[in-house]
């Protein structure tokens, strides 16, 4: 099996055919999907998806685009929202200086609150960062000094310095369909030295459909194309890439139950 570690199944793009979307994912070999919260105010709809499908789990958090639009929440409030057994992580949170849809200081406050919630709960934090590598790195270092947390740089499109910092801090890096784009050579170079045991794959559906489906609505079934490209970049067999990224997901999101019959590798090889 393979895992889609980041999608948005509650988005209206999927409302007309959500059952078919999930079934196509299963047929493609996607055994687990993580649907990601972007608005705390819409969290009930995100949670409903995780409660509707046994192979779907969810997070709770505020996207940096919404940091000034959503009511500001503290770490303790976020932790309380993770008490449902279907909630296995926090976010997505982080910094987006490309669009600047929310003031940067509001983004930074929200980011720190999510990392604090990660320390309190022990759950991983899903981090979005775009055109904000320096501030993201600085906040990660400052917050780590207050205590450990688990985290994932999702939809990685940053530079090698941030990838190296993630490895140094024991964080994970997730690759989206961007990895397959012809002009994304910088991304492929940046993750070349990221160890296989720190990598995940995702769709970010309904966005960023991978080649050869670029331009269409993305969905979890298409994560297999990103996985194939990542296997090529890392120089491993596709089957080994599926096994490694699946194991990595359940190591990081350890509140998420692994499907029966999807045993982790035990011989130390990939």
């Amino acid at each position: 099996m393979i895992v889609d570690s980041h999608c948005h199944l509650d988005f209206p793009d999927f409302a007309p055919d959500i059952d078919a979307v999930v079934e196509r994912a299963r047929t493609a070999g996607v055994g687990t999907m993580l649907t990601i919260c972007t608005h705390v105010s819409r969290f009930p709809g995100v949670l409903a998806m995780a409660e509707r499908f046994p192979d779907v789990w969810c997070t709770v958090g505020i996207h940096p685009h919404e940091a000034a639009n959503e009511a500001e929440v503290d770490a303790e409030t976020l932790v309380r929202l993770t008490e449902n057994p279907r909630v296995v992580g926090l976010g997505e949170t982080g910094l987006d200086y490309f669009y600047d849809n929310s003031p940067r200081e509001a983004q930074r406050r929200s980011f720190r609150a999510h990392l604090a919630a990660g320390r309190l709960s022990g759950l991983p934090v899903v981090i979005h960062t775009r055109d904000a590598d320096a501030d993201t790195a600085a906040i990660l270092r400052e917050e780590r000094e207050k205590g450990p947390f688990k985290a994932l740089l999702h939809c990685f499109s940053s530079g090698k310095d941030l990838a190296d910092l993630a490895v140094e801090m024991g964080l994970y890096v997730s690759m989206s369909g961007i990895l397959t784009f012809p002009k994304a050579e910088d991304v492929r170079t940046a993750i070349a030295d990221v160890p296989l045991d720190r990598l995940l794959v995702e769709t970010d559906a309904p966005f960023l459909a991978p080649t050869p489906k670029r331009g269409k609505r993305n969905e979890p079934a298409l994560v297999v194309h990103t996985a194939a490209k990542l296997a090529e970049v890392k120089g491993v067999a596709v089957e080994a890439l599926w096994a490694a990224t699946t194991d990595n997901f359940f190591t990081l999101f350890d509140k998420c139950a692994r499907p029966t019959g999807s045993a982790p590798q035990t011989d130390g090889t990939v």
Side-chain angles (χ1 to χ4, degrees):
M1 64 168 279
I2 193 169
V3 175
D4 181 1
S5 66
H6 192 116
C7 55
H8 299 281
L9 298 181
D10 68 303
F11 278 22
D13 309 67
F14 295 120
D17 61 341
I18 184 62
D19 291 290
V21 167
V22 171
E23 189 55 39
R24 281 193 292 273
R26 293 166 177 163
T27 299
V30 182
T32 296
M33 291 156 269
L34 183 61
T35 193
I36 303 294
C37 186
T38 58
H39 303 66
V40 164
S41 62
R42 301 180 189 173
F43 173 62
V46 179
L47 180 59
M49 284 292 159
E51 292 178 331
R52 178 173 175 178
F53 300 104
D55 39 3
V56 175
W57 304 79
C58 74
T59 65
V60 60
I62 300 174
H63 194 287
H65 287 341
E66 311 303 330
N69 303 320
E70 291 279 296
E72 193 164 333
V73 295
D74 57 22
E76 290 75 15
T77 299
L78 288 167
V79 170
R80 283 196 298 273
L81 292 170
T82 67
E83 291 174 357
N84 186 289
R86 304 300 298 177
V87 184
V88 299
L90 294 146
E92 62 187 286
T93 183
L95 306 174
D96 193 313
Y97 293 173
F98 181 81
Y99 287 108
D100 272 332
N101 286 351
S102 286
R104 294 183 178 185
E105 185 53 38
Q107 294 185 48
R108 290 190 282 263
R109 285 197 308 271
S110 182
F111 187 17
R112 291 182 188 276
H114 285 74
L115 292 173
R119 281 195 300 271
L120 290 171
S121 66
L123 296 178
V125 181
V126 178
I127 298 171
H128 169 114
T129 180
R130 187 171 185 189
D131 281 15
D133 285 17
D135 277 7
T136 297
I139 288 173
L140 288 173
R141 289 191 178 101
E142 290 166 10
E143 293 297 321
R144 177 56 64 88
E145 290 179 0
K146 301 173 185 177
F149 54 80
K150 299 188 294 184
L152 163 71
L153 299 179
H154 111 88
C155 193
F156 188 82
S157 61
S158 297
K160 189 176 187 301
D161 287 348
L162 193 58
D164 291 346
L165 176 65
V167 173
E168 175 190 325
M169 295 182 70
L171 310 185
Y172 288 75
V173 178
S174 180
M175 308 310 301
S176 71
I178 291 173
L179 184 72
T180 71
F181 296 174
K183 294 183 178 180
E185 191 59 40
D186 287 350
V187 174
R188 292 187 282 273
T189 299
I191 60 97
D193 294 329
V194 176
L196 192 56
D197 64 3
R198 290 289 161 180
L199 290 168
L200 280 74
V201 287
E202 64 171 89
T203 57
D204 204 9
F207 312 112
L208 300 174
T211 304
K213 303 292 185 178
R214 193 173 181 184
K216 300 181 183 296
R217 181 191 72 175
N218 203 2
E219 60 181 73
L222 302 185
V223 74
V224 298
H225 298 288
T226 298
K229 187 64 176 182
L230 184 56
E232 177 187 319
V233 171
K234 300 303 293 181
V236 300
V238 172
E239 294 82 359
L241 193 284
W242 280 41
T245 56
T246 296
D247 288 352
N248 296 344
F249 176 84
F250 288 106
T251 297
L252 178 60
F253 292 94
D254 55 4
K255 185 179 172 183
C256 183
R258 190 173 184 129
T260 303
S262 175
Q265 290 187 295
T266 56
D267 62 0
T269 64
V270 293

